[in-house]
Amino acid sequence: MSAVRSLALTLTLALISSSCAGAGPAGGAPGPAGEPYDVVITGGRVVDGTGNPWFYGDVAIRGDRIARIAPAGALASARAARRIDATNMVVAPGFIDIQSHSWDPLLWADGRVVSKVTQGVTSEILGEATTPAPSNANLEALVIGPSDSAQAKLQPLFRGDHGFGSWLDAMERHGNSVNFGSYLGAATVRAYTMGQRAGAPTAAELDTMRAVVRHSMADGAFGISSALIYPPGSFATTNELVEEAKAMAPFHGGYITHMRSEDDQLFEAMDEAFRIGREGGVRVDIYHLKASLHRNWGKAAHMVAKIDSARQAGLDVGATMYPYPASGNGLDACIPDWASADGKLMANLQDPVVRARIVRDMTDPAGTPLCQVEGPAAYMVVGFRDSTLKKYEGKRLAEIAEAMGKPWAEAVVDLALAERGRLSKINFTMSEDNVRMQIAQPWVVIGTDAGGFDPDSARGLVHPRAYGSYPRILGTYVRDTHVLRLEDAVRKMTSAVADRLSLRDRGLLRAGMFADVVVFDPATIADRATYDQPHQLSVGVRDVFVNGVAVLSEGKHTGARPGRALRGPGWTGNR
């Protein structure tokens, strides 16, 4: 052997030895005498988030990162501060909820989001339609409650060009058990600029909207989110949303939308969303994909085909879903949008002449279809605070109207006045067959469309998706009915969501990624929450780590709050 070849071989062997001994992203591991790990998880089936088939393997965590993914048994003798036996368990990346409403617990309450962590959620993405930042007097008139509330005291901190970033910073200071980030609410952009006024923005107002978008994207927003059936968001024009998308495009954000219609005008609403994406030069996601109302159930297959066609034509389109055949929103959605213009909903409901027009529109077959088409028996009313009305909690609107001795539309108006527009409803207007068909589409990811709760303190009824979405996927749709492969389901909850958010260091079990990890029992995982008894924790999720810290251990919340702010690809870090 020549001296040159001998030297080359020596260097090669040295490099291989160094790689095998390292503990960085290359995936090496120390020997028994090397630097110890904080956590080693052994014996489990590793589902890494890519969609690839599971394999038996060991997972090591050091600090806030995954230090190594190793073959089964390879870390049996490695030193570790804590060892977890995951025999008969699945080890997966933590679930990323792309549609969370955990405003209160992540900033005003205790931050533990128990109903989410016990599902395996490690990151929550806020922002459907409305965000509390950036703030000004216009927005504060819309979102702030009582003047002595915690929100009223903090809200002024979110003013200025970098109010969106100040909000993320405030949540990080608050301390939370999960990571968190947000889209910028399109309704916030509009309210910031125009208050609750209807109509198209002026050229000057459009300039302000563009500036709000640019500043928020630089602060870390993941994109722009709209909900085009709720005032004042419903007042938005397609053109202003296109202009906002154009302002967002250089920051590589996405447009995500609760479309202007999910029922009779479903296809027209999809066309609007696609137009915003095409003309704005951004990707598009559709929140909680559905064809609502019985008479529209047959549109679901065409809706899926329409998305497939748009993708084939080069538009990056995806969708989110939760695994339930019922949706949820405000009872005020039964009331026509025009009644809320300029923030005058309560005043309009109290005016006898305007009230009569509102009721006529609510019951006009050619008018607002959200409640009158299916009829009042399709809607469960929840969220009562008035002690004299709590007897109606969880009852169908038809039953409440009968008890009140008045037509359903009149009952809605009286309830809205009595509860100051704070009531919600659960809508039984979807098809389970469509849910199963849609959820299997490769471009669908999972989101709860719910905030987190603590069952020990929660009151009133809420949609069970707040407690059961991810276990329901893994139990009902994977194990019991085989709608999804385990690996595909996990991908839809992890890396597929991270991809839509351009998060490149979360969503996978891979050395060097942040250590957001869930350990669950595939044989027992299940949702327990129901529409009548929603405050019941899911079962089967045993351990959850967020940034390498255990927030759930043996099924019990540890009280830890290691969550961090997540920011979009346009974040500059300069504020």
Side-chain angles (χ1 to χ4, degrees), residues 14 28 156 197 199 214 218 250 253 285 291 330 346 371 461 494 519:
R197 190 179 88 239
R214 288 193 298 268
D285 285 289
M346 293 298 116
C371 300
L461 299 181
T494 58
V519 180

Side-chain angles (χ1 to χ4, degrees), residues 96-103 106 123-134 139 163-165 167-168 171 179-189 212-227 244-245 248 251-258 282-288 316-320 443 445-447 496-503 565-570:
I96 305 172
D97 185 355
I98 196 172
Q99 191 182 9
S100 169
H101 299 296
S102 294
W103 282 33
L106 295 179
S123 297
E124 296 205 72
I125 308 303
L126 307 170
E128 183 190 0
T130 305
T131 43
L139 186 73
F164 191 93
W167 171 48
L168 294 180
M171 286 192 286
N179 304 308
F180 47 86
S182 185
Y183 286 90
L184 169 66
T188 294
V189 177
V212 169
V213 169
R214 288 193 298 268
H215 290 144
S216 297
M217 293 301 298
D219 279 357
F222 287 105
I224 296 170
S225 167
S226 67
E244 290 173 23
M248 168 181 63
F251 299 89
H252 311 292
Y255 175 66
I256 189 167
T257 180
H258 178 149
V282 297
R283 64 182 179 273
V284 176
D285 285 289
I286 298 171
Y287 275 134
H288 41 59
D316 185 356
V317 183
T320 80
W443 35 259
V445 300
I446 308 303
V497 184
D499 284 346
R500 300 311 286 176
L501 300 170
S502 297
L503 287 174
L566 306 178
R567 293 176 171 88

